[in-house]
Amino acid sequence: MSLLTETRKLIVPPRATRGPSPLARAAVPPPAPGAVPGLGHAGALLRDPLGFLGSLARHGGVVRIRLGPRTVCVVTDARLVHTLLVALAHDCPRGAVQDTLRTAFGDGLLMSEGQAHRDRRRIIQPAFGPDRMGEYLAVMQQVAEERAGRWRPGQVLDVAKEMNHLALEIVTRSLFDARLSEDATVAFHRALPDLVKGQIVQSLYPNPALARLPLPVNRRFDDAVRVLNRVVDQAVNGRTATATAEEGRRTLPALLRAATDPGTGCPLTEADVRSEAITMFGAGTETVSTTLTWLLDELLRHPEVEARILAELDEHLPAGSVPTPEALARLTYTRSVTQEVVRLHAPNAFLMRTAQVPVELGPYRIPAGTELLYSLTALHRDPVRYPEPMSFRPERWQDGGGTGRPSFLPFGAGKHKCIGEAFAWAELTVAAATILRRWRPVAVPGARAREVVWTTVQAQGLRVRLAPRGARSPRGGAAAASREGDATSSPEGTAPSSPAEPPPGRCPFTGATGATAPAAPPAATAEAGPRPPRDLRLAADRHADWALRRGLLTPAELPRYRAYALHELIGHAFPRARGAELDLLVDVLGWFTILDDCFDGSPGRHPAEARALVDPLIAVLDGARGTIPSESRLLLSWRELWKRQTASMSPEWRARAAREWRACLATFPAEADHRSRGTVPALGLDLTDTMRLRRHGSCLYPFMNILERVHGADAPAAMHAEPALHRLRANTADAATLINDLYSLKREERQAGAAFNTVLTLQRAHGCTRGRAVHAVRTRVVRLRQESEELRRELLHRHPAGRWYLDGTRELVAGVQAWTSTSDRYLVPDRGPRR
């Protein structure tokens, strides 16, 4: 006999509208038939919980069953359940199922009763107020984008597992403003099954003392409780060392720690904080993730419903827009779909109450001490209130139909109604919208969702293969970037426009004459669906907000900073970036730009200051957690960005990215050292060494690595081992750096110290005129592009699967060119360090 039951059957047999039976008129709940001596109905309940509970409705609105020596009354009528939860809430507090968790987690909101419950609810309610929902919606979308962004085309997804991770991360980030480690997340989800199994087994023990015996189920339950406490402690206390008072004030733990218990007049204890935290983790994770899993399963069965949802999203919540409560209210069909999923797959298999005093429940008299059990799953599959109860019919909720209060009770009713109901509905909608916009799940044969019943009705076994929503063909390089971005950017292979038309001369790089190099072959022109310009504007807005919240900019600095239009550079250089990847790219570029501006001031001329600024940043790449007070905002932001970059990437990618960021950041103190010793270009540092230093200082290598993050997979390992790819990457970095030098020329001339600009280096080192130096740089760019095309053809022949990466290096150069010719970044000199 197993507690674990798999079923998808009609749990409520068809019947006529129930009326009071002769037994009901006697006011004594009738007994259910089929009791076995000694066991009572325990065997039937354990073999098929939903089938058994659903079958009881034919015998009356309240039916007595026996579980071993215990007698339990099952409430099968939705009206009577509503009465139990509302009118009789004071006289019928929670029962044995919840009591099991009270011993493990204390009297939190989920467990407390009476005045203690009302007091605690008033303390927590502000965390779920309407004024917080806009903030939560943005976090929900960002988390869902990040999770969906880690998936890959063709990947087979364990949906229940992924939805569990998604729901846990949404709760952690929204309510706690924290991030769990991957180990903690895995431990949490491994512990949950043992927790719920132990909960149901212990609730059925004839004597509570049995829970203290060293039985395997009890040991696993105790271990699960310890694991969940450790995970919750990480979320509750994880930000203590880094969050400012302003940042932490709005989190749930901060709200609880600032509160006073009205009953004692004392602040809440850390045990109280942990108790409420574990409540939010448990209640906010499993039921939501289960519902999301069933939602995807039903959409696989009903593609016409999926099509209507996508059409409604396009109309009322366009791609790239941040969801708002007003926007969600317009998604009426999507809400109907989620309501129908919640009805058909109500996750609460059974809950319990205990009558502390004699009560009347409809026509029935319930003696004091009676345990009362009800199943929301059975209630929501009642054919009297929901015709064809096992059919998935979202239309039953249109125009207010089917709500049928009090028959629809997914979040309970009365004073114990779930405090996070609005949060959960919003989470379901935002997560579904984000996933469906990005991916089209394809059913894997034989891997559909099945019901697995414990205290909750879980969805297990669903596996889908992911297909991008709207397949896109490979995109061309510079031509594509030009179409999407600025019309003035040059086609691939032509020299960028320059401030002055140079006369012919000898190129200091190659010794060649100034004749124009032949143009490189045109780029491929296969066009992907255009990214709406609104996506970039919204990404810029989110980045500005991020930079202000992280303290990287002040409001007074923001207008001038936004004129740089860094998001346009990312838009040109990464034409396929969307969602979380787009935000990551803009944030990384913005952070690097702010860091770079610091070296226009004193750190750029004093090596010790430069090292004090850069060394802690490099240490982050090795997992260190040092702080430097004068630049703590840069450091804290960098920790976040490094974590976002490396999430879900391979160990090989992380090692390569760390190595190349380390080389990039190390150029800042190296340049400061050269300035302080006078070994700047043309005064001891030759052109070759200068170019090598500039190549890594431009951050092009790290951004070439992020190409793989955007694509969703590492470039082929064999291609990474090719010397030809090493040359192509160096050419890409050199070409982008030289293009930047052409447009940053005037700004860098006005710096106090000698600038590491190639045009200025050529003038000093070779005595070139300005025109000849500019011409030499432009000629070198063209030659680099020509050589790069030859390298791409060579690599593509041997590694056709790496085409996307090879094209991406071309787009990076074209993107830098398109942006530098239009940005305000180089119009005026900077004012020096920002911090």
PDB file of all heavy atoms in Angstrom, residues 679-703:
ATOM      1  N   THR A 679      56.189  56.212 -19.421  1.00  0.00           N
ATOM      2  CA  THR A 679      56.372  55.271 -20.531  1.00  0.00           C
ATOM      3  C   THR A 679      55.078  55.118 -21.322  1.00  0.00           C
ATOM      4  O   THR A 679      54.644  54.015 -21.663  1.00  0.00           O
ATOM      5  CB  THR A 679      56.815  53.901 -19.996  1.00  0.00           C
ATOM      6  OG1 THR A 679      55.882  53.477 -18.995  1.00  0.00           O
ATOM      7  CG2 THR A 679      58.205  53.979 -19.403  1.00  0.00           C
ATOM      8  N   VAL A 680      54.434  56.252 -21.600  1.00  0.00           N
ATOM      9  CA  VAL A 680      53.217  56.238 -22.409  1.00  0.00           C
ATOM     10  C   VAL A 680      53.610  56.012 -23.862  1.00  0.00           C
ATOM     11  O   VAL A 680      54.789  56.076 -24.223  1.00  0.00           O
ATOM     12  CB  VAL A 680      52.455  57.571 -22.251  1.00  0.00           C
ATOM     13  CG1 VAL A 680      51.947  57.717 -20.828  1.00  0.00           C
ATOM     14  CG2 VAL A 680      53.327  58.734 -22.638  1.00  0.00           C
ATOM     15  N   PRO A 681      52.626  55.705 -24.725  1.00  0.00           N
ATOM     16  CA  PRO A 681      52.960  55.487 -26.135  1.00  0.00           C
ATOM     17  C   PRO A 681      53.813  56.601 -26.715  1.00  0.00           C
ATOM     18  O   PRO A 681      53.557  57.784 -26.465  1.00  0.00           O
ATOM     19  CB  PRO A 681      51.583  55.427 -26.797  1.00  0.00           C
ATOM     20  CG  PRO A 681      50.680  54.908 -25.725  1.00  0.00           C
ATOM     21  CD  PRO A 681      51.191  55.518 -24.454  1.00  0.00           C
ATOM     22  N   ALA A 682      54.817  56.213 -27.435  1.00  0.00           N
ATOM     23  CA  ALA A 682      55.790  57.081 -28.092  1.00  0.00           C
ATOM     24  C   ALA A 682      56.883  57.539 -27.155  1.00  0.00           C
ATOM     25  O   ALA A 682      57.826  58.173 -27.565  1.00  0.00           O
ATOM     26  CB  ALA A 682      55.151  58.308 -28.726  1.00  0.00           C
ATOM     27  N   LEU A 683      56.756  57.192 -25.855  1.00  0.00           N
ATOM     28  CA  LEU A 683      57.791  57.578 -24.897  1.00  0.00           C
ATOM     29  C   LEU A 683      58.255  56.340 -24.122  1.00  0.00           C
ATOM     30  O   LEU A 683      58.393  56.344 -22.913  1.00  0.00           O
ATOM     31  CB  LEU A 683      57.263  58.643 -23.926  1.00  0.00           C
ATOM     32  CG  LEU A 683      56.823  59.965 -24.575  1.00  0.00           C
ATOM     33  CD1 LEU A 683      56.189  60.871 -23.535  1.00  0.00           C
ATOM     34  CD2 LEU A 683      58.030  60.659 -25.215  1.00  0.00           C
ATOM     35  N   GLY A 684      58.486  55.242 -24.828  1.00  0.00           N
ATOM     36  CA  GLY A 684      58.989  54.038 -24.196  1.00  0.00           C
ATOM     37  C   GLY A 684      58.125  52.822 -24.450  1.00  0.00           C
ATOM     38  O   GLY A 684      58.595  51.686 -24.386  1.00  0.00           O
ATOM     39  N   LEU A 685      56.831  53.010 -24.730  1.00  0.00           N
ATOM     40  CA  LEU A 685      55.930  51.897 -25.008  1.00  0.00           C
ATOM     41  C   LEU A 685      55.650  51.905 -26.500  1.00  0.00           C
ATOM     42  O   LEU A 685      55.043  52.840 -27.021  1.00  0.00           O
ATOM     43  CB  LEU A 685      54.627  52.069 -24.220  1.00  0.00           C
ATOM     44  CG  LEU A 685      53.665  50.882 -24.219  1.00  0.00           C
ATOM     45  CD1 LEU A 685      54.268  49.697 -23.482  1.00  0.00           C
ATOM     46  CD2 LEU A 685      52.336  51.270 -23.571  1.00  0.00           C
ATOM     47  N   ASP A 686      56.104  50.870 -27.222  1.00  0.00           N
ATOM     48  CA  ASP A 686      55.974  50.909 -28.679  1.00  0.00           C
ATOM     49  C   ASP A 686      54.545  50.579 -29.114  1.00  0.00           C
ATOM     50  O   ASP A 686      53.675  50.211 -28.308  1.00  0.00           O
ATOM     51  CB  ASP A 686      56.984  49.978 -29.351  1.00  0.00           C
ATOM     52  CG  ASP A 686      56.748  48.501 -29.028  1.00  0.00           C
ATOM     53  OD1 ASP A 686      55.607  48.135 -28.691  1.00  0.00           O
ATOM     54  OD2 ASP A 686      57.723  47.733 -29.120  1.00  0.00           O
ATOM     55  N   LEU A 687      54.316  50.695 -30.406  1.00  0.00           N
ATOM     56  CA  LEU A 687      52.968  50.562 -30.948  1.00  0.00           C
ATOM     57  C   LEU A 687      52.405  49.155 -30.756  1.00  0.00           C
ATOM     58  O   LEU A 687      51.230  48.980 -30.436  1.00  0.00           O
ATOM     59  CB  LEU A 687      52.983  50.921 -32.435  1.00  0.00           C
ATOM     60  CG  LEU A 687      51.618  51.037 -33.117  1.00  0.00           C
ATOM     61  CD1 LEU A 687      50.761  52.070 -32.443  1.00  0.00           C
ATOM     62  CD2 LEU A 687      51.813  51.374 -34.594  1.00  0.00           C
ATOM     63  N   THR A 688      53.260  48.141 -30.920  1.00  0.00           N
ATOM     64  CA  THR A 688      52.786  46.759 -30.763  1.00  0.00           C
ATOM     65  C   THR A 688      52.309  46.504 -29.343  1.00  0.00           C
ATOM     66  O   THR A 688      51.231  45.930 -29.106  1.00  0.00           O
ATOM     67  CB  THR A 688      53.907  45.770 -31.127  1.00  0.00           C
ATOM     68  OG1 THR A 688      54.321  46.006 -32.467  1.00  0.00           O
ATOM     69  CG2 THR A 688      53.421  44.339 -30.977  1.00  0.00           C
ATOM     70  N   ASP A 689      53.110  46.946 -28.351  1.00  0.00           N
ATOM     71  CA  ASP A 689      52.708  46.769 -26.958  1.00  0.00           C
ATOM     72  C   ASP A 689      51.463  47.581 -26.640  1.00  0.00           C
ATOM     73  O   ASP A 689      50.599  47.145 -25.863  1.00  0.00           O
ATOM     74  CB  ASP A 689      53.844  47.179 -26.018  1.00  0.00           C
ATOM     75  CG  ASP A 689      55.017  46.213 -26.080  1.00  0.00           C
ATOM     76  OD1 ASP A 689      54.786  45.047 -26.438  1.00  0.00           O
ATOM     77  OD2 ASP A 689      56.148  46.642 -25.776  1.00  0.00           O
ATOM     78  N   THR A 690      51.378  48.761 -27.217  1.00  0.00           N
ATOM     79  CA  THR A 690      50.200  49.594 -26.989  1.00  0.00           C
ATOM     80  C   THR A 690      48.943  48.897 -27.491  1.00  0.00           C
ATOM     81  O   THR A 690      47.916  48.840 -26.803  1.00  0.00           O
ATOM     82  CB  THR A 690      50.348  50.956 -27.697  1.00  0.00           C
ATOM     83  OG1 THR A 690      51.516  51.609 -27.205  1.00  0.00           O
ATOM     84  CG2 THR A 690      49.133  51.834 -27.441  1.00  0.00           C
ATOM     85  N   MET A 691      49.017  48.322 -28.691  1.00  0.00           N
ATOM     86  CA  MET A 691      47.853  47.654 -29.257  1.00  0.00           C
ATOM     87  C   MET A 691      47.471  46.424 -28.438  1.00  0.00           C
ATOM     88  O   MET A 691      46.287  46.132 -28.256  1.00  0.00           O
ATOM     89  CB  MET A 691      48.115  47.253 -30.702  1.00  0.00           C
ATOM     90  CG  MET A 691      48.069  48.421 -31.673  1.00  0.00           C
ATOM     91  SD  MET A 691      46.509  49.349 -31.589  1.00  0.00           S
ATOM     92  CE  MET A 691      45.323  48.052 -31.947  1.00  0.00           C
ATOM     93  N   ARG A 692      48.462  45.717 -27.918  1.00  0.00           N
ATOM     94  CA  ARG A 692      48.156  44.548 -27.098  1.00  0.00           C
ATOM     95  C   ARG A 692      47.446  44.972 -25.816  1.00  0.00           C
ATOM     96  O   ARG A 692      46.477  44.336 -25.378  1.00  0.00           O
ATOM     97  CB  ARG A 692      49.445  43.793 -26.780  1.00  0.00           C
ATOM     98  CG  ARG A 692      49.194  42.445 -26.086  1.00  0.00           C
ATOM     99  CD  ARG A 692      50.502  41.695 -25.824  1.00  0.00           C
ATOM    100  NE  ARG A 692      51.185  41.367 -27.078  1.00  0.00           N
ATOM    101  CZ  ARG A 692      52.355  41.866 -27.449  1.00  0.00           C
ATOM    102  NH1 ARG A 692      52.987  42.739 -26.648  1.00  0.00           N
ATOM    103  NH2 ARG A 692      52.910  41.522 -28.586  1.00  0.00           N
ATOM    104  N   LEU A 693      47.913  46.057 -25.221  1.00  0.00           N
ATOM    105  CA  LEU A 693      47.284  46.575 -24.014  1.00  0.00           C
ATOM    106  C   LEU A 693      45.865  47.059 -24.307  1.00  0.00           C
ATOM    107  O   LEU A 693      44.916  46.757 -23.586  1.00  0.00           O
ATOM    108  CB  LEU A 693      48.136  47.717 -23.443  1.00  0.00           C
ATOM    109  CG  LEU A 693      47.727  48.294 -22.084  1.00  0.00           C
ATOM    110  CD1 LEU A 693      47.870  47.244 -20.996  1.00  0.00           C
ATOM    111  CD2 LEU A 693      48.585  49.517 -21.760  1.00  0.00           C
ATOM    112  N   ARG A 694      45.702  47.786 -25.393  1.00  0.00           N
ATOM    113  CA  ARG A 694      44.385  48.321 -25.764  1.00  0.00           C
ATOM    114  C   ARG A 694      43.410  47.212 -26.118  1.00  0.00           C
ATOM    115  O   ARG A 694      42.214  47.309 -25.881  1.00  0.00           O
ATOM    116  CB  ARG A 694      44.516  49.259 -26.968  1.00  0.00           C
ATOM    117  CG  ARG A 694      45.437  50.449 -26.775  1.00  0.00           C
ATOM    118  CD  ARG A 694      44.919  51.432 -25.738  1.00  0.00           C
ATOM    119  NE  ARG A 694      43.499  51.708 -25.876  1.00  0.00           N
ATOM    120  CZ  ARG A 694      42.952  52.400 -26.885  1.00  0.00           C
ATOM    121  NH1 ARG A 694      43.731  52.927 -27.817  1.00  0.00           N
ATOM    122  NH2 ARG A 694      41.665  52.599 -26.938  1.00  0.00           N
ATOM    123  N   ARG A 695      43.926  46.145 -26.727  1.00  0.00           N
ATOM    124  CA  ARG A 695      43.063  45.036 -27.160  1.00  0.00           C
ATOM    125  C   ARG A 695      42.280  44.464 -25.992  1.00  0.00           C
ATOM    126  O   ARG A 695      41.093  44.186 -26.100  1.00  0.00           O
ATOM    127  CB  ARG A 695      43.931  43.958 -27.804  1.00  0.00           C
ATOM    128  CG  ARG A 695      43.201  42.709 -28.241  1.00  0.00           C
ATOM    129  CD  ARG A 695      44.196  41.701 -28.779  1.00  0.00           C
ATOM    130  NE  ARG A 695      44.908  42.227 -29.945  1.00  0.00           N
ATOM    131  CZ  ARG A 695      46.094  41.814 -30.357  1.00  0.00           C
ATOM    132  NH1 ARG A 695      46.737  40.874 -29.672  1.00  0.00           N
ATOM    133  NH2 ARG A 695      46.656  42.332 -31.426  1.00  0.00           N
ATOM    134  N   HIS A 696      42.959  44.290 -24.869  1.00  0.00           N
ATOM    135  CA  HIS A 696      42.271  43.732 -23.706  1.00  0.00           C
ATOM    136  C   HIS A 696      41.537  44.794 -22.902  1.00  0.00           C
ATOM    137  O   HIS A 696      40.536  44.498 -22.249  1.00  0.00           O
ATOM    138  CB  HIS A 696      43.274  42.988 -22.816  1.00  0.00           C
ATOM    139  CG  HIS A 696      43.761  41.709 -23.424  1.00  0.00           C
ATOM    140  ND1 HIS A 696      43.007  40.566 -23.452  1.00  0.00           N
ATOM    141  CD2 HIS A 696      44.926  41.417 -24.064  1.00  0.00           C
ATOM    142  CE1 HIS A 696      43.675  39.607 -24.070  1.00  0.00           C
ATOM    143  NE2 HIS A 696      44.849  40.089 -24.453  1.00  0.00           N
ATOM    144  N   GLY A 697      42.001  46.019 -22.951  1.00  0.00           N
ATOM    145  CA  GLY A 697      41.353  47.072 -22.174  1.00  0.00           C
ATOM    146  C   GLY A 697      40.012  47.514 -22.720  1.00  0.00           C
ATOM    147  O   GLY A 697      39.246  48.196 -22.033  1.00  0.00           O
ATOM    148  N   SER A 698      39.681  47.131 -23.940  1.00  0.00           N
ATOM    149  CA  SER A 698      38.437  47.591 -24.563  1.00  0.00           C
ATOM    150  C   SER A 698      37.218  46.820 -24.104  1.00  0.00           C
ATOM    151  O   SER A 698      36.107  47.175 -24.461  1.00  0.00           O
ATOM    152  CB  SER A 698      38.549  47.456 -26.085  1.00  0.00           C
ATOM    153  OG  SER A 698      38.654  46.078 -26.441  1.00  0.00           O
ATOM    154  N   CYS A 699      37.372  45.740 -23.366  1.00  0.00           N
ATOM    155  CA  CYS A 699      36.328  44.830 -22.891  1.00  0.00           C
ATOM    156  C   CYS A 699      35.628  44.101 -24.032  1.00  0.00           C
ATOM    157  O   CYS A 699      34.561  43.530 -23.853  1.00  0.00           O
ATOM    158  CB  CYS A 699      35.319  45.512 -21.959  1.00  0.00           C
ATOM    159  SG  CYS A 699      33.980  46.428 -22.719  1.00  0.00           S
ATOM    160  N   LEU A 700      36.231  44.070 -25.219  1.00  0.00           N
ATOM    161  CA  LEU A 700      35.638  43.341 -26.345  1.00  0.00           C
ATOM    162  C   LEU A 700      35.706  41.832 -26.121  1.00  0.00           C
ATOM    163  O   LEU A 700      34.806  41.094 -26.513  1.00  0.00           O
ATOM    164  CB  LEU A 700      36.334  43.720 -27.648  1.00  0.00           C
ATOM    165  CG  LEU A 700      35.606  44.747 -28.516  1.00  0.00           C
ATOM    166  CD1 LEU A 700      34.305  44.194 -29.070  1.00  0.00           C
ATOM    167  CD2 LEU A 700      35.350  46.045 -27.765  1.00  0.00           C
ATOM    168  N   TYR A 701      36.784  41.355 -25.506  1.00  0.00           N
ATOM    169  CA  TYR A 701      36.861  39.914 -25.244  1.00  0.00           C
ATOM    170  C   TYR A 701      35.713  39.450 -24.333  1.00  0.00           C
ATOM    171  O   TYR A 701      35.035  38.464 -24.641  1.00  0.00           O
ATOM    172  CB  TYR A 701      38.213  39.557 -24.628  1.00  0.00           C
ATOM    173  CG  TYR A 701      39.318  39.357 -25.649  1.00  0.00           C
ATOM    174  CD1 TYR A 701      40.267  40.342 -25.880  1.00  0.00           C
ATOM    175  CD2 TYR A 701      39.404  38.167 -26.371  1.00  0.00           C
ATOM    176  CE1 TYR A 701      41.280  40.162 -26.812  1.00  0.00           C
ATOM    177  CE2 TYR A 701      40.410  37.975 -27.307  1.00  0.00           C
ATOM    178  CZ  TYR A 701      41.345  38.979 -27.526  1.00  0.00           C
ATOM    179  OH  TYR A 701      42.351  38.789 -28.451  1.00  0.00           O
ATOM    180  N   PRO A 702      35.461  40.107 -23.199  1.00  0.00           N
ATOM    181  CA  PRO A 702      34.314  39.683 -22.392  1.00  0.00           C
ATOM    182  C   PRO A 702      32.995  39.739 -23.151  1.00  0.00           C
ATOM    183  O   PRO A 702      32.145  38.860 -22.986  1.00  0.00           O
ATOM    184  CB  PRO A 702      34.340  40.667 -21.219  1.00  0.00           C
ATOM    185  CG  PRO A 702      35.778  41.037 -21.072  1.00  0.00           C
ATOM    186  CD  PRO A 702      36.294  41.108 -22.478  1.00  0.00           C
ATOM    187  N   PHE A 703      32.833  40.751 -24.004  1.00  0.00           N
ATOM    188  CA  PHE A 703      31.572  40.830 -24.735  1.00  0.00           C
ATOM    189  C   PHE A 703      31.478  39.763 -25.819  1.00  0.00           C
ATOM    190  O   PHE A 703      30.383  39.332 -26.180  1.00  0.00           O
ATOM    191  CB  PHE A 703      31.365  42.233 -25.297  1.00  0.00           C
ATOM    192  CG  PHE A 703      30.703  43.158 -24.312  1.00  0.00           C
ATOM    193  CD1 PHE A 703      31.455  43.956 -23.470  1.00  0.00           C
ATOM    194  CD2 PHE A 703      29.333  43.207 -24.212  1.00  0.00           C
ATOM    195  CE1 PHE A 703      30.858  44.781 -22.542  1.00  0.00           C
ATOM    196  CE2 PHE A 703      28.719  44.031 -23.292  1.00  0.00           C
ATOM    197  CZ  PHE A 703      29.473  44.829 -22.450  1.00  0.00           C
TER     198      PHE A 703
END
